[in-house]
Amino acid sequence: MNRFEQFFSTNFLPPHGYCFLWLPELVWIHVIANLLIASAYFSIPIALWRFASQRPDIPYRPIFLLFAAFITLCGLTHLFNILVLWWPAYGIEGLLMLATGLVSIVTACFVWKILPKALTLPSLKELSSMNETLSRSVDSIEHEVRQRTSQLELLNQELTTARIKAEEANRAKSDFLANMSHEIRTPMNVVIGLSHILVRSEPLTKKQQECINTLQASAQSLMGLINDLLDIEKIESHNVELEHKPFSVVRVVEDVFKIMDIRAREKSLYFHLRQECERIDHRLFLGDETRVRQILLNLCSNAIKFTQKGGITVELRCEKNITPIETVFVKVIDTGIGIDPEKQQTIFEKFVQADSSINRKYGGSGLGLNIVKSLAEKMGGSIAVESHLGEGSCFTLQLPLEIASNDASLSVQATNPVERIDTVTSGIPILLAEDYEPNIMVASAILDEIGCHYRVARNGKEALELYKNNVFSLLLMDLQMPLMSGLEATKHIRDWEKQENKSPVPIIGVTAYATPEDRRRCLESGMTDYIAKPYDAKVLQKKIAVLVAKK
C-alpha cells in the first residue's frame, strides 16, 4: 500500500477509541463533550451568517463571514474527533484541521489589520452621548425652524398687506387719473370745440387768428400730456391691449409723413421719406395700427422739436425672417441738437430728459420716449438710439410683424373723408343726450356744420322718452347725466326695441373718461360705438356716416 492510500485508509491504524476501551465512561465523556462543542460551534456561525446577511451596511462585514467559516470548521473538527473513536480516518481529520488552521490564520491577519480602525469606532457610551447631542441639535434646529417659519409667516402677512395696500394705491391712482382726465377733458372739449368754431368764423383779424391758433395749440398740447399720463398708467397696470388686425405699415408711415411734413415746413426744415423695401408696398401685417402710428408720431414730433436747421429723414426697410414673420425697421434721423452719450439710455425713463434745460427751452413732460419703448417692447420689438451731441440723432424702431394670410392691394390715392361723406351725414336726424350746456353748444355747432338735424335731451330719462316718440337715425349719448345715466338709458332703449320688434338704432357713447374699461361698459350696455371727449369733428362725422350707412 503506497503512502497516499495509507493517508486516506481507515484500515491502516486502529481507531482512536481503542485506547479507551478499558474505560467506557471516558469514551462517552469525549463523545458528549465534542457533541456539545460542535453544537455550539454550528449555532454561532448560523447566527453570524444571519446577522451579516440582514445587515449588509454593518462595518467590517467580511470579518463576520470569516469568523463564521472558522467556527464552522472548528465544529466539523470536533465531529471528526467523535468519528475517529471508531473510524480511523486520520488523514481526512488532518486535512480538516489544516483547513481550520489556514482559515484561523486568515481571520487573525484580517483582525489585526482592521484593529486600528476598529479601535476608532465609538463605544456604546460615546454613541449614546452623540445621540443625545444629536437629539439636542435636532431640537434646536426644529426650534429655529419653527421660529423662522413664524417669522416667514409674519413677513408673508406683511407682504400680503403691503401688496393689498399697493394694489389699493394703484387703483386709487388709476381712479384719480381717470377722474382728473374726466374733469379736464370736459372743459377741454368745450375749449377745443369753441376754438374750432371760432377759427371758421369770418371775418377774423390777423391777431384774432393768431390767438385762436395759439389756443388750439395749447389745448392740443395739454391733451397730449393727459393722453401720455393715461398711457403710462395703462402700461404700468398692464392694461394695454394690443389689436391684432390687418394694416399696412407703408400706409401708416406715409400718413405720419404727411402730418409731420406740414410741421417741418413751418420750421423751414426738410422732411424726407426713404422707402427701401418695395415688397411690403402692398402687403398687410397683423398688429395694432394705432399704436404703431403713435410710436412714429412721437419719434417724428421729437425730431422736429429738437431740430432747428437741416431736417428729418424717415427710412423704412425690412428684413425677411422665418415665415410668416417680417421684421420692419423704421429709422427717424434728424440733424438736431443730439444727445450726450451718457444720457442716451436714461432718456427712455419716465419724466427724464437729456438735459434739465431742455424742458425750459423745448417743453415736454419726458413721457414720450418711455411710452415708445414700452409699446415697442410689448409688440415684441425694440427701440435704439445713436446720437452725437450737436450733430443729430437716429432712433431705430424694430418691429417683428406677422404677415396677414391674404395680402391685399391697397390704394395709395389720397381721399378726403369729410367731402366723401358730407352728403351722407346731411339731413340725418340725431338725438343728442347731454346735460352740460357748454358741451351742448359745441356738439350743436358740429352737427350744424355737417348738416345733421338734431334734438337735445338733457338727461337719460328725457332721451328715452324722446326716442320712443320720434324717429332718429342715431343717438349721441353722454354717459353721465342726472335722473338716468347714458348707460341706463341705453339698456332701457334696447329693451324697448326688443319689445316693439324694432331694429336697434346706432348709439355712440360720449364720455370724458378714456379707458378700456369705459369702452367695455359702453359696449356691454348696448351702445354701438364709443368716442372720448374732446372729439374731433371729422372723427365724429365719420363715425355717424359709417354707422348710419351700416343701418
Side-chain angles (χ1 to χ4, degrees):
M1 182 180 296
N2 59 35
R3 303 283 293 184
F4 184 78
E5 290 178 348
Q6 289 179 353
F7 189 83
F8 290 101
S9 174
T10 58
N11 300 317
F12 180 69
L13 295 172
H16 198 189
Y18 181 81
C19 301
F20 304 135
L21 290 178
W22 57 273
L23 189 60
E25 293 83 356
L26 190 60
V27 174
W28 287 111
I29 286 175
H30 278 265
V31 171
I32 293 171
N34 280 296
L35 282 174
L36 290 174
I37 294 172
S39 298
Y41 278 173
F42 286 137
S43 63
I44 291 173
I46 291 173
L48 291 175
W49 278 97
R50 183 179 178 185
F51 180 77
S53 62
Q54 292 187 2
R55 291 291 304 274
D57 59 330
I58 194 170
Y60 310 118
R61 186 167 176 263
I63 194 65
F64 286 89
L65 300 178
L66 283 173
F67 266 111
F70 163 61
I71 297 173
T72 299
L73 290 172
C74 288
L76 289 174
T77 302
H78 282 278
L79 286 179
F80 261 86
N81 284 340
I82 298 173
L83 187 64
V84 296
L85 289 174
W86 293 280
W87 187 53
Y90 297 123
I92 298 174
E93 182 186 27
L95 291 175
L96 183 60
M97 293 177 68
L98 179 61
T100 303
L102 291 175
V103 172
S104 301
I105 292 297
V106 172
T107 304
C109 292
F110 193 79
V111 167
W112 279 102
K113 181 179 179 181
I114 67 172
L115 185 60
K117 292 183 179 179
L119 290 174
T120 62
L121 293 176
S123 64
L124 290 176
K125 185 177 180 180
E126 291 173 332
L127 286 174
S128 178
S129 176
M130 291 169 61
N131 186 52
E132 290 177 2
T133 303
L134 182 60
S135 297
R136 287 194 297 269
S137 299
V138 169
D139 292 339
S140 176
I141 292 171
E142 288 179 349
H143 178 69
E144 291 180 5
V145 168
R146 284 193 296 270
Q147 280 188 324
R148 187 58 179 163
T149 301
S150 299
Q151 292 173 355
L152 289 174
E153 288 176 352
L154 182 61
L155 181 60
N156 187 53
Q157 290 176 358
E158 292 175 353
L159 288 174
T160 302
T161 304
R163 178 179 58 81
I164 293 172
K165 289 182 178 179
E167 290 174 352
E168 290 175 351
N170 192 52
R171 283 194 297 269
K173 181 189 72 174
S174 300
D175 293 341
F176 171 76
L177 286 175
N179 288 328
M180 287 302 298
S181 171
H182 178 270
E183 295 304 318
I184 295 174
R185 282 174 180 272
T186 298
M188 284 303 299
N189 181 56
V190 178
V191 173
I192 293 175
L194 290 179
S195 67
H196 173 76
I197 295 169
L198 289 174
V199 80
R200 293 174 177 267
S201 302
E202 293 181 358
L204 289 175
T205 65
K206 184 177 180 181
K207 185 66 175 178
Q208 289 172 333
Q209 185 71 52
E210 289 177 355
C211 289
I212 293 172
N213 290 341
T214 302
L215 177 65
Q216 288 182 321
S218 299
Q220 292 298 338
S221 177
L222 180 57
M223 285 308 305
L225 175 59
I226 294 170
N227 291 332
D228 283 348
L229 286 170
L230 289 175
D231 279 339
I232 286 293
E233 192 279 327
K234 291 178 196 173
I235 291 169
E236 288 184 344
S237 59
H238 306 289
N239 286 331
V240 176
E241 296 181 2
L242 298 178
E243 292 184 343
H244 197 64
K245 297 179 179 179
F247 76 102
S248 168
V249 173
V250 174
R251 174 63 63 82
V252 171
V253 173
E254 288 176 347
D255 288 347
V256 171
F257 173 78
K258 291 174 185 176
I259 297 170
M260 291 293 124
D261 185 44
I262 298 173
R263 291 180 55 183
R265 289 173 185 271
E266 292 174 352
K267 292 184 67 174
S268 301
L269 302 173
Y270 67 78
F271 199 87
H272 295 158
L273 175 60
R274 189 179 301 154
Q275 221 277 60
E276 299 181 356
C277 188
E278 295 182 359
R279 69 169 177 269
I280 66 171
D281 281 352
H282 306 294
R283 176 169 289 171
L284 294 180
F285 296 93
L286 296 176
D288 194 323
E289 177 180 355
T290 302
R291 293 301 185 180
V292 173
R293 181 179 282 104
Q294 180 182 359
I295 291 173
L296 296 180
L297 284 172
N298 260 327
L299 293 176
C300 293
S301 178
N302 273 355
I304 293 173
K305 180 166 67 173
F306 296 115
T307 302
Q308 302 304 318
K309 60 180 180 179
I312 295 90
T313 301
V314 177
E315 291 184 0
L316 175 63
R317 64 183 183 86
C318 55
E319 181 180 290
K320 183 68 174 179
N321 290 350
I322 301 173
T323 306
I325 303 296
E326 184 134 26
T327 302
V328 175
F329 297 88
V330 182
K331 286 188 175 183
V332 179
I333 308 166
D334 65 63
T335 59
I337 60 175
I339 305 168
D340 190 323
E342 295 180 358
K343 304 290 181 66
Q344 290 181 14
Q345 293 306 313
T346 60
I347 60 172
F348 292 104
E349 297 176 6
K350 287 182 296 185
F351 307 109
V352 173
Q353 293 184 327
D355 194 318
S356 59
S357 62
I358 287 177
N359 182 268
R360 295 191 296 271
K361 184 175 181 180
Y362 297 98
S365 61
L367 293 174
L369 288 178
N370 179 262
I371 293 172
V372 165
K373 183 175 185 291
S374 299
L375 291 177
E377 291 176 351
K378 191 168 181 64
M379 296 180 192
S382 63
I383 183 75
V385 60
E386 296 177 13
S387 183
H388 298 282
L389 205 59
E391 298 180 12
S393 304
C394 174
F395 286 84
T396 303
L397 172 67
Q398 176 257 326
L399 289 177
L401 297 173
E402 181 182 351
I403 301 171
S405 56
N406 295 317
D407 287 350
S409 178
L410 298 177
S411 172
V412 293
Q413 295 180 353
T415 59
N416 188 329
V418 175
E419 292 179 358
R420 186 183 62 199
I421 59 179
D422 265 346
T423 55
V424 180
T425 59
S426 180
I428 293 177
I430 290 177
L431 174 59
L432 172 62
E434 173 66 67
D435 65 309
Y436 187 54
E437 287 297 333
N439 281 336
I440 294 175
M441 183 189 301
V442 172
S444 299
I446 293 175
L447 294 175
D448 285 334
E449 184 180 330
I450 63 178
C452 294
H453 300 309
Y454 61 91
R455 291 189 65 177
V456 178
R458 285 171 170 76
N459 57 66
K461 190 174 182 180
E462 185 181 348
L464 176 61
E465 293 303 320
L466 280 174
Y467 177 68
K468 288 182 178 179
N469 298 309
N470 297 274
V471 177
F472 298 101
S473 297
L474 183 137
L475 276 65
L476 286 175
M477 186 76 72
D478 187 44
L479 265 62
Q480 288 188 328
M481 291 184 292
L483 299 181
M484 183 184 290
S485 71
L487 297 175
E488 291 176 308
T490 300
K491 292 177 182 178
H492 285 300
I493 288 171
R494 294 308 185 208
D495 292 339
W496 181 79
E497 287 172 339
K498 289 179 181 178
Q499 292 174 4
E500 298 295 324
N501 198 25
K502 291 182 176 293
S503 59
V505 65
I507 302 177
I508 299 177
V510 183
T511 180
Y513 290 107
T515 64
E517 178 65 18
D518 297 312
R519 178 177 177 82
R520 183 187 63 78
R521 288 169 57 215
C522 289
L523 298 179
E524 286 181 354
S525 70
M527 292 182 179
T528 317
D529 205 344
Y530 162 92
I531 189 169
K533 300 174 186 176
Y535 47 79
D536 183 82
K538 293 180 181 179
V539 174
L540 178 60
Q541 183 183 16
K542 185 175 181 180
K543 282 182 179 290
I544 293 172
V546 170
L547 291 176
V548 171
K550 285 183 179 179
K551 181 184 177 184

